[in-house]
């Protein structure tokens, strides 16, 4: 079979692109319809990541296909398809081309507006399109409507092809079918089945083994090692009340408490917009420092409207029952660079020791730029209960970054 089309039949490239795209579209639809009916769960996220990955692949192949159409000769109309019929067939085909673009693009717009992180087959991050959040609803409606249009168009497309083949004896169907001998077919089907087995059953697919934020454990280990290197075991606790007099006030407009987690292998970011702290610290006497931080859990945002609606629920932050989280330091150590605070982080009523590595940069005007980093294992605080507790689709380790502008406290 030749690569390019000829005057009366389709070549290998056009046929392959036609059938691969058709297969990807049918699979993407099946995945979406199954996933759509599932309650929110790690499995649902995986199916949708797969759905979106196939959809983006369709978009890439559709671009390739249009490019190839321009490059290769177009076969004449098939036998028995003439006049208005031929015109309608061409119109229908251009409509199908349009849908091959419109469906993935509407999905991509919806995904970008909703702020869902998305890695193609858990391999590389697909950037968000620069669209406004308000487009999520309209893009969702468009995606659903375009799907219905596609369903009708494909049914019409198939019926016309089969009717012309069976009733009018046209070669329209046979010239698009793959051709080849039985052995080639058996081999092709075998390869597809093996791939499906690899992806779904053997669990070897990248989509079923999301990676954790790679450096999180390292940050934790480094923080502990540094402190041990410099000062031995983490020890002396500083009681509230016995701390240094040097108190600091957070300049809210220039301060953030943010975090980075993973969502089926893709990075997702968020922050707590409402937090405050009493902070006592003097670089010369770090052991006399004391931080008492109060975080309003309801102020969490991940820039994804769907997740922002779910996170206050009982299985995540249980905001109604536990509106506040706290971090209270118990000891300070000098590290090679910067300092390490030991402290008790309390979320959902559960307290765990969490080290915070931070840098303290005094500015010429007397203000301080504070940069801190800690790693929190969400499961230790029951953040993500039930199936989320053991499934790493939403990564266990979350890297917390504290960036503050501090000014001397004057009462
Ligand atoms: C060939 C391409 C595609 C087809 C045929 C397709 C089809 C569908 C279908 C049938 C649904 C279920 C609609 C419903 O009942 O709610 C769906 C949902 C969805 N699709 Fe696609 N899609 C495609 C590409 C994409 C792409 C590229 C993305 C994102 C990058 C995407 C994101 C989504 C999302 C997020 C939903 C869930 C919407 C919800 O919240 O209910 N789709 N898609
Ligand atoms: C989502 C699924 C499908 C899409 C998007 C699609 C799209 C298209 C498009 C755009 C063309 C025109 C090619 C061109 O002129 O460059 C075409 C041709 C064709 N399609 Fe499909 N198709 C799909 C599924 C199917 C199925 C399931 C059949 C099975 C009967 C089929 C049979 C054909 C045939 C026979 C032709 C050749 C028409 C000719 O030679 O003039 N298609 N398809």
């Amino acid at each position: 079979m030749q690569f390019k089309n000829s005057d009366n039949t389709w070549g290998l490239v056009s046929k392959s692109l036609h059938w691969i795209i058709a297969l990807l579209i049918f699979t993407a639809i099946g995945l979406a319809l199954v996933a759509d009916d599932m309650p929110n769960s790690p499995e649902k996220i995986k199916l949708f990541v797969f759905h979106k990955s196939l959809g983006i692949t369709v978009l890439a192949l559709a671009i390739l296909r249009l490019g190839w159409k321009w490059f290769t000769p177009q076969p004449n109309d098939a036998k028995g398809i003439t006049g208005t019929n031929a015109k309608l067939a061409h119109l229908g085909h251009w409509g199908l081309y349009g849908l091959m673009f419109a469906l993935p693009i509407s999905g991509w717009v919806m995904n970008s507006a909703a702020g869902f992180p998305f890695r193609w087959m858990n391999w590389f991050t697909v950037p968000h399109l620069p669209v406004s959040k308000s487009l999520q609803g309209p893009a969702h409606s468009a995606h659903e409507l375009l799907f219905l249009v596609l369903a009708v168009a494909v049914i019409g497309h198939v019926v016309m092809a089969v009717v012309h083949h069976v009733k009018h004896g046209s070669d329209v169907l046979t010239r698009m079918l793959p051709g080849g001998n039985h052995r080639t077919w058996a081999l092709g089907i075998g390869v597809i089945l093996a791939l499906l087995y690899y992806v779904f059953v053997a669990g070897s697919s990248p989509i079923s083994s999301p990676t954790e934020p790679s450096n999180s454990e390292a940050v934790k280990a480094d923080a502990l090692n540094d402190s041990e290197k410099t000062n031995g075991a983490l020890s002396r606790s500083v009681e509230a009340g016995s701390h240094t007099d040097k108190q600091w006030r957070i300049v809210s407009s220039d301060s953030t408490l943010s975090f980075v987690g993973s969502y089926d292998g893709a990075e997702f970011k968020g922050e707590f917009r409402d937090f405050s702290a009493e902070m006592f610290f003097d670089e010369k006497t770090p052991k006399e420092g004391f931080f008492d931080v109060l975080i309003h859990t309801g102020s969490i945002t991940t820039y994804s409207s769907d997740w922002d609606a779910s996170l206050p629920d009982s299985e995540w932050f249980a905001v109604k029952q536990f509106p506040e989280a706290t971090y209270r330091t118990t000891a300070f150590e000098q590290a090679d660079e910067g300092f390490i605070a030991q402290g008790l982080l309390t979320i959902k009523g559960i307290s765990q020791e969490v080290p915070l590595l931070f840098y303290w940069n005094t500015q010429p005007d007397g203000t301080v730029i504070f940069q801190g980093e800690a790693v929190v294992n969400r499961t230790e605080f029951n953040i993500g209960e039930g199936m989320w507790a053991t499934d790493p689709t939403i990564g266990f380790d979350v890297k917390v970054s504290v960036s503050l502008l501090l000014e001397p406290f004057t009462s």
Side-chain angles (χ1 to χ4, degrees), residues 12-177:
L12 182 68
V13 178
S14 295
K15 284 185 185 183
S16 305
L17 284 169
H18 176 272
W19 292 111
I20 290 171
I21 291 177
L23 188 73
L24 291 180
I25 290 179
F26 292 137
T27 316
I29 291 174
L31 286 169
L33 295 181
V34 169
D36 208 42
D37 283 341
M38 289 167 73
N40 201 7
S41 65
E43 285 315 309
K44 180 171 178 154
I45 291 177
K46 280 183 196 144
L47 289 185
F48 264 124
V49 169
F50 202 16
H51 167 81
K52 294 183 237 175
S53 301
L54 296 185
I56 290 290
T57 313
V58 167
L59 181 61
L61 292 179
I63 295 171
L64 219 89
R65 188 168 170 186
L66 265 192
W68 179 251
K69 191 173 170 63
W70 182 63
F71 186 73
T72 181
Q74 292 304 294
N76 299 323
D77 293 327
K79 272 183 228 147
I81 303 182
T82 50
T84 318
N85 269 349
K87 278 192 189 130
L88 284 177
H90 291 167
L91 200 71
H93 290 164
W94 280 113
L96 285 168
Y97 273 115
L99 289 164
M100 275 183 255
F101 284 86
L103 255 153
I105 290 173
S106 61
W108 196 358
V109 170
M110 171 190 5
N111 196 70
S112 307
F116 284 123
F118 162 39
R119 270 158 69 91
W120 187 87
M121 296 292 184
N122 204 37
W123 189 11
F124 58 87
T125 300
V126 177
H128 283 157
L129 296 169
V131 293
S132 125
K133 278 184 177 221
S134 59
L135 274 185
Q136 188 189 351
H140 188 182
S141 310
H143 201 60
E144 282 184 345
L145 186 71
L146 287 166
F147 159 59
L148 295 178
V149 176
L150 176 79
V152 172
V154 170
I155 290 171
H157 179 64
V158 174
V159 168
M160 292 317 281
V162 174
V163 164
H164 275 98
H165 173 76
V166 177
K167 252 187 137 182
H168 308 299
S170 170
D171 62 344
V172 67
L173 191 53
T174 40
R175 71 181 195 167
M176 183 49 104
L177 287 176

Side-chain angles (χ1 to χ4, degrees), residues 40 113-117 133 136 259 263 268-273 297-314 316-319 394:
N40 201 7
F116 284 123
K133 278 184 177 221
Q136 188 189 351
F259 58 85
Y263 175 102
F268 82 92
K269 297 180 178 158
E271 65 176 302
F272 289 92
R273 294 216 160 109
T297 51
S299 72
I300 190 169
T301 174
T302 58
Y303 320 113
S304 156
S305 38
D306 287 45
W307 276 95
D308 286 357
S310 302
L311 285 172
D313 292 352
S314 57
W316 294 99
F317 280 89
V319 168
I394 301 294

Side-chain angles (χ1 to χ4, degrees), residues 317-398:
F317 280 89
V319 168
K320 271 202 191 124
Q321 204 185 343
F322 302 101
E324 290 171 353
T326 56
Y327 182 68
R328 287 202 179 93
T329 56
T330 52
F332 283 82
E333 306 289 338
Q334 178 113 38
D336 285 349
E337 281 180 65
F339 304 90
I340 293 163
Q342 281 297 325
L344 269 191
L345 178 63
T346 306
I347 308 178
K348 287 178 101 171
I350 301 166
S351 299
Q352 299 283 352
E353 182 102 339
V354 172
L356 171 73
L357 173 67
F358 67 92
Y359 303 96
W360 184 271
N361 295 313
T362 309
Q363 305 298 297
D365 64 357
T367 59
V368 167
I369 292 179
F370 177 107
Q371 300 282 354
E373 208 169 272
V375 175
V376 174
N377 182 325
R378 65 171 179 82
T379 59
E380 290 177 0
F381 297 91
N382 283 353
I383 298 173
E385 293 180 20
M387 60 203 155
W388 302 104
T390 47
D391 190 293
T393 307
I394 301 294
F396 298 137
D397 277 348
V398 178

